[in-house]
């Protein structure tokens, strides 16, 4: 669930710890301090009086500083912060009832203790499957950690690991190729481990700002934006669902090779081994750079394997970068963009229909999904419910075994040739709604995200598509999109995109601009264009009530130039704002959108949505 949505659900006391931390970061002159000051300048009461949307924006601007704040907390070695964070960043654990969190925490401690016993037994047993080289790696790390922890006791001080010691230990673990889970097991074989009181655990997590706790609902909330920061701290470069998607494409001998390296039982089924590998907290970068290749393969062969995995397996073309490292970084960035994107890959109606028919065809799937994502609820195959956890159609399909996928395809008349997952997504795609749900991605000309969301379109068609979608939105807002009058006015030289006929010789002119670049910044050229449209309309005795310019976003300079213009009644509206206004209008009492609300220079989404809800 997005941070803004969580903040909307909570009272001021429940947000207090988080706000204090952000306030403290702001007071220390963060990197984006000037941008933050500009946001705060509208109020003289500080961050507490800022709306939730701007708090969310400020958090994104202080993400790096917040990350450093959390890293400092790891020096308190008795906090079990690594255990707790590993629980709350798992897919499906971003919204947890207190009693369920207590159960997950208790289970985690029990499993950890059992695995520590097994690991210690492997150290002593000459016949264990642990290779001699791996035992050596474990012993080196364990000896260094033991010294870092116990040298304080020897010197009659409280045992702790300093920041300098921690940085050396982390470097050592990286060079030895240890997974996060292996590190955790060795750490807690030395550090004392005991189950803490769940109320104290929740309080400590809330005090450092990583969770919110609703007293009324007895529920823990972890914002999607926070999960991404916590994953970086735990060196988990991608979400579990993307790791799974990648691992499922590998042949079983390669999975066995990786499993052997990390002391995972190769007798398990392939799916079980994949789940164990995901929970190990392996480095995604190391896996793709080293783990999936034969030990004697050269650089060219490794590049070829990686390209094939991305292009043929993950269906991602033209990854940036010439080196393996650059390509892997591009893939990680791609997965981050997919995760941030709120679109689901098929329409919401399509997702709901898919889940209904999956439940009919595969009656055991509901329990399988519950187990996989550790859900407390009984029935979980509901679109709105899953999307609150940022779980999308592709993530569900990735969990279905091949035989079940084949059965579902036959039961529901899905195309059988080609990739099963892509065929199912295509079958449940509602193209019109899907394009509207991806309106902002069309505006940004983001072909990769469009493709991931089930839309195949040529880049050359995106400008026209954006214009057509804008027409659909304004028609849905109750306006008369008058193509006939527009065509009468247009000349070969001056061709406006959209004209809204308000009757009585009154019109609204709309210009649509797509842009790959962040911050649309071409005011001089677009203003000449709009003034020519204005002159066309005035020559035909039409009164221009408003001119609207729609683009993915606008630079500060563009907004300033627009504010200084005295010749046009021009307002700027971002694609995301228009889309959100359209959604709010659907549930409002108005038969036609009251165009008088378009009165700002940059259209204020919050103000309009509040007005529509009255």
């Amino acid at each position: 669930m997005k941070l803004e949505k969580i903040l909307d659900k909570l009272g001021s006391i429940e947000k207090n710890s988080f706000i204090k931390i952000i306030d403290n970061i702001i007071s220390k002159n963060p990197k984006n301090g000037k941008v933050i000051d500009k946001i705060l300048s509208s109020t003289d009461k500080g961050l507490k009086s800022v709306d939730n949307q701007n708090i969310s924006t400020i958090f994104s601007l202080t993400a790096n500083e917040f990350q450093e704040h959390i890293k400092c907390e790891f020096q308190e070695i008795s906090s079990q912060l690594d255990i707790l964070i590993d629980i709350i960043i798992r897919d499906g654990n971003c919204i947890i009832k207190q009693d369920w969190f207590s159960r997950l925490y208790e289970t985690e401690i029990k499993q950890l203790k059992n695995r520590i016993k097994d690991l210690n037994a492997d150290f002593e047993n000459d016949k264990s499957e642990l290779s001699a080289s791996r035992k050596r790696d474990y012993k080196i790390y364990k000896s260094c950690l033991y010294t870092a922890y116990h040298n304080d006791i020897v010197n009659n001080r409280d045992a702790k690991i300093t920041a300098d010691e921690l940085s050396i230990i982390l470097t050592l673990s990286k060079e030895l190729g240890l997974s996060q889970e292996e590190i955790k097991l060795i750490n807690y074989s030395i550090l004392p481990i005991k189950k803490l009181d769940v109320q104290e655990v929740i309080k400590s997590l809330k005090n450092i700002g990583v969770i919110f706790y609703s007293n009324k609902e007895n529920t823990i909330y972890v914002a999607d934006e926070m999960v991404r920061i916590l994953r970086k701290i735990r060196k988990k470069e991608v979400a579990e669902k993307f790791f799974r998607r990648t691992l499922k494409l590998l042949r079983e001998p390669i999975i066995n090779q990786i499993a052997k390296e990390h002391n995972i039982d190769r007798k398990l089924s392939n799916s079980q081994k994949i789940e164990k590998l995901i929970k190990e907290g392996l480095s995604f970068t190391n896996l793709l750079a080293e783990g999936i290749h034969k030990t004697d393969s050269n650089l060219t062969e490794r590049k070829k394997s990686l390209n094939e995995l991305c292009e043929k397996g993950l269906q991602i073309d033209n990854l940036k970068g010439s080196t393996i490292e650059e390509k892997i970084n591009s893939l990680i960035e791609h997965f981050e963009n997919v995760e941030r994107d709120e679109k689901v890959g098929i329409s919401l109606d399509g997702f709901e229909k898919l889940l209904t028919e999956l439940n009919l065809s595969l009656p055991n799937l509901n329990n399988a999904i519950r187990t996989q994502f550790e859900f407390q609820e009984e029935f979980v195959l509901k679109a709105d419910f899953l999307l609150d956890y940022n779980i999308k159609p592709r993530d569900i399909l990735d969990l279905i075994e091949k035989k079940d996928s084949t059965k579902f395809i036959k039961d529901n008349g899905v195309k059988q040739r080609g990739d099963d997952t892509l065929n199912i997504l295509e079958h449940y795609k509602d193209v019109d709604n899907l394009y509207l749900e991806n309106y902002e991605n069309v505006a940004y000309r983001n072909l990769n995200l469009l493709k991931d969301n089930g839309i195949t379109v040529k880049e050359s068609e995106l400008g026209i598509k954006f214009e057509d979608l804008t027409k659909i939105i304004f028609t849905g807002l109750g306006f008369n999109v008058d193509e006939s009058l527009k065509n009468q006015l247009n000349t070969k030289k001056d061709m406006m995109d959209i004209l809204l006929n308000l009757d009585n010789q009154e019109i609204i002119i709309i210009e649509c601009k797509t842009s790959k670049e962040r911050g649309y910044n071409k005011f001089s050229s677009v203003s000449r264009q709009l003034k020519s449209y204005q002159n066309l309309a005035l020559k035909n005795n039409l009164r221009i009530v408003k001119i609207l310019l729609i683009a993915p976003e606008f630079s500060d300079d563009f907004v300033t130039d627009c504010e200084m213009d005295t010749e046009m009644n021009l307002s700027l509206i971002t694609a995301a704002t228009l889309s959100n206004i359209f959604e709010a209008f659907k549930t409002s009492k108005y038969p036609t959108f009251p165009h008088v609300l378009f009165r700002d220079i940059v259209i204020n989404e919050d103000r309009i949505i509040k007005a529509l809800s009255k």
Side-chain angles (χ1 to χ4, degrees), residues 492-545:
K492 286 182 180 180
K493 184 183 174 186
D494 300 316
M495 301 184 71
M496 63 185 80
D497 289 340
I498 300 172
L499 183 147
L500 307 182
N501 191 343
L502 306 179
D503 296 328
N504 300 317
Q505 297 293 99
E506 293 184 335
I507 63 169
I508 294 174
I509 295 172
I510 298 172
E511 182 67 13
C512 305
K513 296 292 183 186
T514 61
S515 177
K516 273 186 181 179
E517 298 170 10
R518 293 274 161 180
Y520 192 70
N521 196 24
K522 299 174 181 175
F523 186 79
S524 58
S525 60
V526 79
S527 66
R528 285 195 300 272
Q529 198 176 359
L530 293 174
K531 282 169 187 172
S532 66
Y533 300 158
Q534 178 176 269
N535 291 334
L536 268 181
L538 294 174
K539 281 178 187 175
N540 285 272
N541 299 316
L542 295 170
R543 178 175 171 265
I544 301 167
V545 172

Side-chain angles (χ1 to χ4, degrees), residues 470-486 497-510 591-593 595:
T470 306
K471 288 175 185 175
I472 292 171
I473 289 173
F474 277 99
T475 301
L477 290 171
F479 289 106
N480 173 15
V481 178
D482 197 333
E483 289 292 299
S484 176
L485 180 57
K486 183 188 81 170
D497 289 340
I498 300 172
L499 183 147
L500 307 182
N501 191 343
L502 306 179
D503 296 328
N504 300 317
Q505 297 293 99
E506 293 184 335
I507 63 169
I508 294 174
I509 295 172
I510 298 172
T592 302
F593 180 84
H595 61 78

Side-chain angles (χ1 to χ4, degrees), residues 41-55:
S41 63
S42 60
T43 174
D44 57 358
K45 296 179 182 177
L47 193 59
K48 284 186 179 180
S49 60
V50 172
D51 63 44
N52 293 331
Q53 184 181 25
N54 276 320
I55 290 175

Side-chain angles (χ1 to χ4, degrees), residues 180-212:
Q180 286 294 332
E181 201 62 22
E182 288 168 321
I183 293 167
K184 197 158 65 176
L185 288 175
I186 298 171
N187 286 357
Y188 286 104
S189 67
I190 294 173
L191 310 179
I193 179 172
K194 63 177 183 176
K195 183 176 179 292
L196 305 173
D197 177 73
V198 72
Q199 289 284 3
E200 285 302 309
V201 167
I202 290 171
K203 184 180 176 183
S204 65
L205 290 174
K206 195 176 92 166
N207 286 344
I208 63 172
V210 299
I211 68 166
F212 296 95

Side-chain angles (χ1 to χ4, degrees), residues 32 272 432 493 586:
N32 293 311
Q272 287 172 323
D432 288 340
K493 184 183 174 186
K586 289 177 183 176

Side-chain angles (χ1 to χ4, degrees), residues 209-222:
V210 299
I211 68 166
F212 296 95
Y213 183 69
S214 168
N215 294 306
K216 186 170 70 174
E217 298 173 359
N218 290 325
T219 300
I220 293 166
Y221 293 96
V222 193

Side-chain angles (χ1 to χ4, degrees), residues 352-391:
E352 198 65 65
K353 186 181 178 191
L354 169 62
L355 292 170
T356 300
E357 294 184 357
L358 278 170
N359 189 47
L360 290 171
S361 190
L362 307 172
N364 294 326
L365 182 63
N366 182 67
N367 284 337
I369 299 299
R370 277 189 70 212
T371 303
Q372 180 65 55
F373 294 114
E374 299 180 316
F375 288 137
Q376 184 175 10
E377 288 75 3
E378 289 297 321
F379 186 74
V380 299
L381 294 180
K382 299 173 286 188
D384 287 340
F385 172 82
L386 292 172
L387 290 174
D388 274 344
Y389 292 85
N390 204 13
I391 297 168

